[in-house]
Amino acid sequence: MPEILDAPLTEKGRQQAFLLQAVVKAMEAKPRLVVLSPNCRAIQTGVIVFEELLSQQDVPFLAHEMAREETGVHVCDKRRPKSRQAKEFPQVDFSLLESEEDIIFQNNHRESKAEVGERVYTFMEWLSKRPEQHVGVASHSGWLLTVFNGICECDETLKGWFQTGEMRSVRLEFVHA
């Protein structure tokens, strides 16, 4: 259904995001960068969860195409045009999105786990070059599942499905060969 293009956060999702504000408040080391999937529901989640950081001019909120959910076929996973998202979310920097329209989404092909893994790997390469030591990421459960089951070597406790509105803190160590 075209009306669910880039589906927004539900009321339940908004309530779950508001509950996570207490987790951010309690963090000893707060994020110095917030990276968001450019899909509406992830942007809304990130803006709500990390709301207290928005008032700090030195904490960028960046939309990153590679932090998106598995995409294709389901129009709820197709992102809105870049200019529309920028207008709706002026507190988010969309300059990393290379195209106005969603060039990853395909109407007749759902990304494979390997294709999502390639995007996650590209994201991790980008993240490894960032100067910030504490980063918040608002993405999607399928994407996060790929992060911890296909890209990162990690403890078994991180390999489980991320529930809607769940936050986990992890320490990433990038090893350059």
Side-chain angles (χ1 to χ4, degrees), residues 8-161:
L9 200 55
T10 64
E11 181 57 34
K12 180 180 179 180
R14 281 190 286 282
Q15 293 307 314
Q16 290 170 328
F18 280 116
L19 291 172
L20 289 173
Q21 287 179 342
V23 176
V24 174
K25 263 193 193 336
M27 287 178 173
E28 199 170 303
K30 305 233 187 307
R32 303 305 307 151
L33 168 68
V34 176
V35 183
L36 312 160
S37 157
N39 289 92
C40 183
R41 61 193 179 275
I43 295 169
Q44 290 173 314
T45 299
V47 166
I48 292 170
V49 170
F50 298 104
E51 182 177 45
E52 78 169 69
L53 303 177
L54 283 170
S55 62
Q56 299 176 23
Q57 302 279 333
D58 62 338
V59 178
F61 278 60
L62 299 175
H64 198 295
E65 198 85 82
M66 299 299 112
R68 291 177 59 178
E69 180 64 287
E70 178 180 330
T71 188
V73 181
H74 306 163
V75 295
C76 62
D77 295 329
K78 182 177 183 177
R79 79 162 165 83
R80 298 173 189 178
K82 177 179 172 178
S83 60
R84 181 172 171 198
Q85 295 294 60
K87 186 176 181 179
E88 189 170 341
F89 303 102
Q91 64 276 59
V92 177
D93 179 347
F94 290 90
S95 63
L96 293 176
L97 274 60
E98 295 179 6
S99 64
E100 171 67 12
E101 298 299 326
D102 186 346
I103 58 173
I104 296 176
F105 184 88
Q106 295 178 41
N107 289 321
N108 59 354
H109 172 73
R110 186 85 175 150
E111 278 185 306
S112 68
K113 296 295 182 209
E115 289 168 316
V116 176
E118 288 174 22
R119 283 197 295 104
V120 170
Y121 191 85
T122 299
F123 174 81
M124 291 296 180
E125 287 181 317
W126 172 83
L127 187 61
S128 75
K129 294 174 182 144
R130 294 292 304 191
E132 298 86 1
Q133 296 296 305
H134 301 278
V135 178
V137 177
S139 189
H140 310 269
S141 54
W143 187 85
L144 292 162
L145 194 66
T146 303
V147 168
F148 295 111
N149 286 274
I151 303 302
C152 295
E153 291 181 26
C154 62
D155 184 271
E156 289 297 315
T157 60
L158 291 172
K159 293 185 176 193
W161 187 258

